[in-house]
Amino acid sequence: MRELESKLRSEGYRYIACVDEVGRGCLAGDVVAAAVIMPEDGFIEGVKDSKKLSPKKREQLYSEILKTAIGVGIGRIDADTIDEINIRQATLMAMKMAVENIVDREGSIITPEYILVDAETIDTDIPQQAIIKGDATVYGIAAASIVGKVYRDRLCEEWGKLYPEYRFEKHKAYGTKEHRELIQEHGASEIHRKSFLKKILGVE
């Protein structure tokens, strides 16, 4: 999983930011992107696509990644903006924001020299490469997928406290049968993506 990053380092790139998003298909809440710059050494065993890990393992790896990473950045775009500009544009905006927000452990901004993105292209002058299924094939993108997933799951826990009737902490705002039924019962909350709910609510 580290071949591409090793090749880029051999070409002289030191700060390689790897970017992934989470929450693109959810019915509520922010779309979140994470950007991670991992060191050449300090390999973390077990890092892979976050969807293939248990919540407990993701939490463990999240802590290890934050301790090991040279820099980490998060980007968030809320539901109202998603409804306004569409989910793909919101995802790209969150990815760009994550790259621009990369900081080291002391809080100093780090500007990457190269970017590897899971299946997308960010609006930036920094050299980049879009990798299809990057979270399954590139170590740094897999690490970013874990950071983004844990970060957003924690947001869902908070949203679950604010809107207990929707049980966001359980389904993480994805379109499960339970979530769709709760939307039909209670209507849309402030953080639901209204443009995603037309069929569920019977609105044209």
Side-chain angles (χ1 to χ4, degrees), residues 45-116:
E45 193 68 45
V47 167
K48 58 183 177 180
D49 179 1
S50 63
K51 295 185 290 293
K52 298 178 180 177
L53 297 166
S54 68
K56 183 178 179 181
K57 187 65 175 175
R58 279 197 299 263
E59 286 279 352
Q60 177 195 330
L61 289 169
Y62 175 84
S63 297
E64 290 186 43
I65 291 165
L66 293 192
K67 288 177 190 170
T68 306
I70 293 169
V72 176
I74 296 290
R76 295 171 55 179
I77 302 297
D78 65 21
D80 287 343
T81 306
I82 291 168
D83 285 337
E84 185 180 334
I85 66 174
N86 78 47
I87 185 59
R88 180 161 188 268
Q89 293 306 314
T91 299
L92 294 174
M93 190 182 292
M95 286 178 159
K96 182 179 181 181
M97 190 182 298
V99 170
E100 292 172 347
N101 287 343
I102 297 173
V103 294
D104 63 19
R105 284 185 287 278
E106 282 71 50
S108 299
I109 290 282
I110 298 177
T111 301
E113 299 162 346
Y114 201 96
I115 304 171
L116 297 174

Side-chain angles (χ1 to χ4, degrees), residues 10 16 18 23 46 50 80 85-86 100 108 142 146 153 158 161 170 177 179 196:
S10 73
I16 304 164
C18 294
S50 63
D80 287 343
I85 66 174
N86 78 47
E100 292 172 347
S108 299
I146 293 167
D153 282 357
E158 294 303 312
K161 293 172 187 173
K170 183 177 178 185
K177 181 174 182 289
H179 189 193
F196 284 42

Side-chain angles (χ1 to χ4, degrees), residues 7-18:
K7 179 176 179 293
L8 289 168
R9 287 194 181 96
S10 73
E11 294 171 5
Y13 295 106
R14 182 184 172 202
Y15 292 144
I16 304 164
C18 294

Side-chain angles (χ1 to χ4, degrees), residues 132-164:
I132 302 301
K133 296 186 178 176
D135 50 6
T137 59
V138 177
Y139 171 73
I141 297 179
S145 80
I146 293 167
V147 171
K149 175 63 174 166
V150 172
Y151 185 95
R152 192 177 189 282
D153 282 357
R154 291 179 179 181
L155 289 178
C156 288
E157 298 283 342
E158 294 303 312
W159 295 329
K161 293 172 187 173
L162 290 171
Y163 306 95

